[in-house]
Amino acid sequence: MQRWHPYQYLRPLTRDSDAPDAAHDPAADAWVPTIDDLRVKLCYICREEESAEGPQVPRHVWVHPCRCSLVAHETCLLQWIRAAEQDTSRAANAMKCPQCGVEYELESDNPLVLRIMDSVNGGLMTVGRAVFWAGGGALIISSLFGVYIGCTAYGSYAVQEFLGKEMFSLLLSEDTAQWPWHAYFHLPAIPISLILARAGVHTNFPVATLLLAWTFSPPVSHPMRDMLTSHLRLIQTDTPAPQSEQLVPLFSWPPVPAAVTVLYPLLTKGYRLSFNRLRHWVLGTRPEPKAAVRNYIYDFNDNAPIRVRINHAIIPPPRAGAPPGQPAQAPQPQANPAPEPDAEDEEDAPAEGARTTRLTNAQIGRFVGGALMIPAIASFMGRILFRLARHSPFLRRFLAIRPPLGARHYRPPGGLIDPAQWRDAGLLKQMGLGLRLGVNLACCGTRVWADADPVWWRNSVGLGIFIVIKDCLKLVHEYLSRREQQTRRIKSRSFAGVEIKELDLIHPPTHIAI
Amino acid sequence: MAVSTRRLQKELVEIQKQGTPVGITLLSADDFQTWLFTVQVLGDTIYSGELFALKFRFDGQYPIQPPAVQFVVDEKYQAPVHPHVYSNGHICASILGNEWSPVLSVIAVCVTIQSMLASCKKKERPPDNERYVKHAPENPKKTQFVYHDDTV
């Protein structure tokens, strides 16, 4: 709502210097005329005239608001100001004379009550604006928080599947109040890292969030009492166990998580390389330089693809004619030698097709679902390995299966450092001991990792086996469908049902009945 | 009678009595909704020999609200090629928007636009002509022009 502002203080600055006001000069004998002294008044807004000789009924109120000769009806001028003030772009010009530029002065009945009400109104508007933005912000934050809760819940499920129930209850437990602080970062990162890893952005992500993050984490599930006793033991041990027993040895079986983290990318890379070689050998193709740029077309419902261009700069792969060594995709009819440009066109089309990937909803669902299934698959494969290990001592040793600790009553050995030794050691030695402890923790994990049944290890092995099986199945599928395409022939039929007269035959039958 | 009609009546009487300025002629003023003028730029300008038509449309709020003014684009007339005139005839001039004042009149607007053309040195369309013409409303008053250049 626009309102009238008190403009009394907006007096033109030039007023006093340009011409002395009559009020300031009481002795002025120069007579200054006013609006009432004009014989003919012409409203500059409505262009109505009023002559002093012919009095009009009803008489209008006239004003002379500026320093030039323009005069106007007061109602016309007020209407103009009101209209112009409503348009913010025009408001600047509304309060001054269009000819001489002098600011109009307004006087209005603006009692204290109105001013208070106006300011209350303005304050309420401000509050309303704040409520609007706060509400919108709260809505966004709460929906983000919902996503966060969902990701965290999934992360805790994934940890339970991947590390096994026992280590889950030792390191994380069902009781969220016992969770270590870093769980609130690492757990929600798990689904994201699984999806990113499947997209090939970073292959190490799931290892980091699923495995490495939990190696430093002290066990949470043993009661406070146990913590205290272990602490007390740290202080007043009489016969501390030798350190070599307390720290986890770096080279042990199963490999420590840090070693897995280092080896994992190397192993993946080596596997990919050798599998690709196998694939080309099976399919009889030769490795081509992969087109770096690909078009992704998002097919929302098949008929209206939403095009997502990953990169506009499409660099065509170098192709100089048809490489001589390339095996022919299908036997070319010798009688019809294809001209060179045609052959290139034929080759370009599938190449372009390979560079453009059509993403359908089904594919995206399969992609994300497959990524999120990984912990469950790993756990399933780990259980199968565990069953198989019952019949094979070698497998049992390879998987390093240990008896369960009894997670509820497990108390990790305290006294990692002999207190007496600590007390006697100098500052440098203390630092050295601390460093050794830290490095050992970072590389090998807490004692829990050495003592508990390494479910995570058989799950990792199982997952590896699953991936190999899956890749082999995919390859078989690819091989079979390729062979199906190569052996395709179109069935030729006889001319049964066609009038024999219509056919131009080499040996027309002699007994045609006309 | 509405204020706008009374004021337009007075402006029309004035035009009939005193005539229009040089280069401007009244084509039609049959009612108080739409008036048509022809505008010619006199003297040695880039528009010499060209004849344009200006269309004024008034609502009941005139002169508190500015009239809707545009160049006629039909079989007979074309909009002048000018950096502030779009090819559909719409004019980007501040006096038709936020610098409108009731002290201005139909003839004053005609003269202003005539001098806007006369001072132009280079025939070119506004840089965003294509985009504007594609989406422009029928009435130029519904466009929020940004008046960027006062020199042309």
Side-chain angles (χ1 to χ4, degrees), chain A residues 45 47-48 83 90 93 98, chain B residues 6-7 10 64-65 98:
Chain A
I45 292 171
R47 298 278 168 104
E48 298 282 342
R90 273 160 71 185
N93 298 320
Chain B
R6 277 221 299 272
R7 162 139 176 188
K10 283 178 193 298
I64 298 295
Q65 298 292 339
N98 64 0

Side-chain angles (χ1 to χ4, degrees), chain B residues 99-111:
Chain B
E99 277 174 28
W100 166 255
S101 165
V103 80
L104 293 165
S105 63
V106 173
I107 289 300
V109 170
C110 285
V111 170

Side-chain angles (χ1 to χ4, degrees), chain A residues 399-423:
Chain A
L399 297 177
I401 292 169
R402 298 188 191 114
L405 291 170
R408 285 284 144 216
H409 308 292
Y410 174 68
R411 196 187 64 192
L416 283 173
I417 293 168
D418 175 16
Q421 196 188 345
W422 181 264
R423 235 178 287 119

Side-chain angles (χ1 to χ4, degrees), chain B residues 9-31:
Chain B
Q9 221 166 20
K10 283 178 193 298
E11 285 194 44
L12 193 58
V13 167
E14 210 169 293
I15 289 167
Q16 280 156 355
K17 230 192 286 176
Q18 300 178 357
T20 50
V22 196
I24 295 164
T25 52
L26 177 64
L27 265 186
S28 72
D30 303 329
D31 51 32

